[in-house]
Each structure stands twice: as C-alpha cells, then as structure tokens.
Amino acid sequence: QKEVEQDPGPLSVPEGAIVSLNCTYSNSAFQYFMWYRQYSRKGPELLMYTYSSGNKEDGRFTAQVDKSSKYISLFIRDSQPSDSATYLCAMSGRNSGNTPLVFGKGTRLSVIA
Amino acid sequence: GAGVSQTPSNKVTEKGKYVELRCDPISGHTALYWYRQSLGQGPEFLIYFQGTGAADDSGLPNDRFFAVRPEGSVSTLKIQRTERGDSAVYLCASSVAGNNSPLHFGNGTRLTVT
C-alpha cells in the first residue's frame, strides 16, 4: 500500500458543478496537508495548505482534513472550465524542520462548458 | 516577483550520456528540493537542501544521481550514464526554511533518454 492513495480519474463534470476530490493516507505522522493544482506541462501550484484536522475555505475552494479517518478532501464550488487540471494532494510529517512532501498520483479533472 | 526557474525546459539525450539540470530558486528561499514526476504519477522526492548542504538525499534512486548547491542558491542535478528509465519531468521547488512550509515549484525539465 502506498503512503498516499488518490484516485487518478479522469473526472469530468459540467460547468457550475460541485467537485469533490479525495485522498487517503496510511502514515499517522502526517500533520501538514496540501492541495496543488497542475496544468499540463506546468509545475504544481499550491492551492490550499492546512495543519492537522479541520476545514479551511478560500473562495470557491474548501479543504477538509479528518485525521481520525486518515482522509482529506478538496471541494470546488461553481466549477469553471479554467479549473480543468490535475489536482495533487500532498502531506508531510510533524518533525521539526522541513520534511519531504509525499504526493498522491493526482486526479485529472475536466470541467465542460 | 520571479518564481522558481528551471533550465533547460526540455532535454533529449542518448542512453549513457551525462546531463545537468539547473534550478534557480525564489530569492531568499533557503530550502530547495528536487522531485521527479513520471507520466501519470505524482512528484517523487529526490533530495532536499537547507542552504548549501544536502539535508536529506534519501530519495536519490542510485549513485548515478547527484545534486549540488555550492552557494546556497542555484542548484544543479547531475545524472551520469543516463538510462531510458530516467526519462521523466524533474521538478525543482523552494521554500522559506523551517516548519514544513509549502513548496513553490518550477515548471520542470522534461528529460527524454533515447
């Protein structure tokens, strides 16, 4: 079992739909959780950054972390064609200093106008 | 301001050759990372620098891979005796040091070994 599992999709939704993206993980030491968006032939771009459990909202994006279930989610409201990209979850541990981010495979999303 | 810059954007080389990939991090970021992303996969960690020293090189797949950051800014990833399996996008990222701060990625170097 990989440390971080993410359904690669592809996921196709109509414009305006609510999108739900998810990851599960096995390492209980993970404390920092991130979502990155990656357009084709570009580097990953940070969307959301959360520490420990709870919700965080930023515009149309909401990130949720449930550490008891080792499950994280990203919700996109009122999805737009410009949201079409690959979404990567990433997480790291609690050690002092930087620890390497561990990424999921990414979910490829298409929002159809 | 300028983001993380990686050169070249594309590199095609023959099996057995040596390649160097360059990364210019965001000014003031002391932490620098190299990741490798294969088609349909998420980025996989290779090596992390804090300043000039490699703080964690546990992700380097074998001794053909080496990276340096001599002045604590620009970094070079070096691959000797390239193999077809080395073909991937090599991503560089930088961050403000400490406490698992988020990474800022460049657009990568797409390496193809023929």
Side-chain angles (χ1 to χ4, degrees), chain B residues 3-61:
Chain B
V4 176
S5 174
Q6 291 188 248
T7 55
S9 54
N10 286 282
K11 176 73 177 177
V12 180
T13 191
E14 291 180 348
K15 180 176 177 293
K17 299 289 189 183
Y18 168 83
V19 296
E20 289 190 352
L21 312 179
R22 177 187 166 106
C23 173
D24 277 276
I26 293 172
S27 177
H29 282 191
T30 59
L32 184 146
Y33 300 76
W34 285 98
Y35 280 76
R36 178 168 71 175
Q37 187 173 26
S38 301
L39 191 63
Q41 303 295 316
E44 292 182 324
F45 170 73
L46 295 176
I47 186 170
Y48 151 55
F49 287 90
Q50 185 62 260
T52 60
D56 183 348
D57 65 357
S58 62
L60 294 177

Side-chain angles (χ1 to χ4, degrees), chain A residues 4-69:
Chain A
V4 180
E5 299 280 359
Q6 183 176 12
D7 186 339
L11 179 63
S12 185
V13 302
E15 183 177 358
I18 296 174
V19 176
S20 172
L21 305 167
N22 312 292
C23 289
T24 59
Y25 63 94
S26 58
N27 188 343
S28 57
F30 288 144
Q31 293 277 8
Y32 301 88
F33 303 92
M34 284 147 256
W35 286 94
Y36 283 81
R37 177 175 62 195
Q38 187 173 26
Y39 292 114
S40 180
R41 296 189 171 261
K42 297 292 187 182
E45 166 195 13
L46 181 68
L47 272 181
M48 301 289 281
Y49 177 85
T50 55
Y51 170 71
S52 196
S53 283
N55 294 359
K56 183 173 183 179
E57 187 174 322
D58 184 1
R60 295 184 297 111
F61 299 91
T62 300
Q64 288 185 352
V65 175
D66 182 350
K67 289 192 68 186
S68 63
S69 301

